[in-house]
Amino acid sequence: MTKFLLSLHVLAAIVAVGPVTVAASMFPAAARRVPVPVGGAGGGRDDGGADAGDVRTVRLLHRICRVYAGLGIAVPVLGFATAASMGVLGDGWLITSVTLTAVAAGLLAAFVLPRQEELLGQLADGQPVERARTVRLAMFTGLFNLLWATVTILMIVRPGSTTGA
């Protein structure tokens, strides 16, 4: 049963967290590439306004982040089930991983997704986005990705690992 739960846990991490890390990383640059009207709001493609396809790309990246973040709930649920079946719920590496996972989830919910929504709203209204705002978003996204990379490493090279490495 442990191998089955571990397999589901790893698959959930790949399928749910992977798309969020990629889409969130692509979002700031995609938002910067959306052309806006010279005068700010309004207009269509003829007067230099945002190309609907460009805004759709940014909207799609945000939707991927939202949807797969919701699916990502399965990762810690399956992780706890796996840890319980392995008898490692009290191990330091696991507690550290759970803490970092919670911080990553909080960062995504409190800083990444809301800032994506704000930028998307501006772009949908034909307003230009400030580069500083996309840079801050990229920073929060990078921290989110770094936390997930750290958790992944802890899961692979955990203290007391039975792999012999």
Side-chain angles (χ1 to χ4, degrees), residues 89-151:
L89 282 173
D91 287 7
W93 65 269
L94 183 70
I95 294 168
T96 302
S97 293
V98 169
T99 302
L100 293 176
T101 298
V103 172
L107 192 62
L108 183 66
F111 293 97
V112 175
L113 294 176
R115 280 173 171 75
Q116 284 182 350
E117 289 173 14
E118 291 169 6
L119 291 173
L120 186 56
Q122 279 185 268
L123 293 171
D125 291 342
Q127 300 172 358
V129 296
E130 295 175 28
R131 180 169 173 77
R133 294 186 72 199
T134 62
V135 168
R136 278 191 298 276
L137 175 58
M139 178 193 66
F140 289 124
T141 300
L143 288 172
F144 170 79
N145 292 343
L146 180 62
L147 288 168
W148 273 113
T150 304
V151 169

Side-chain angles (χ1 to χ4, degrees), residues 10-139:
V10 170
L11 284 171
I14 292 168
V15 170
V17 179
V20 175
T21 60
V22 172
S25 295
M26 293 173 66
F27 187 97
R32 283 192 294 268
R33 281 194 305 268
V34 174
V36 294
V38 176
R45 187 70 170 154
D46 293 338
D47 66 353
D51 182 350
D54 293 331
V55 175
R56 281 193 303 252
T57 298
V58 175
R59 186 174 289 120
L60 174 64
L61 291 171
H62 176 62
R63 184 170 184 219
I64 289 169
C65 290
R66 271 194 353 259
V67 170
Y68 283 90
L71 295 174
I73 299 298
V75 176
V77 169
L78 290 165
F80 277 116
T82 303
S85 73
M86 293 172 67
V88 295
L89 282 173
D91 287 7
W93 65 269
L94 183 70
I95 294 168
T96 302
S97 293
V98 169
T99 302
L100 293 176
T101 298
V103 172
L107 192 62
L108 183 66
F111 293 97
V112 175
L113 294 176
R115 280 173 171 75
Q116 284 182 350
E117 289 173 14
E118 291 169 6
L119 291 173
L120 186 56
Q122 279 185 268
L123 293 171
D125 291 342
Q127 300 172 358
V129 296
E130 295 175 28
R131 180 169 173 77
R133 294 186 72 199
T134 62
V135 168
R136 278 191 298 276
L137 175 58
M139 178 193 66

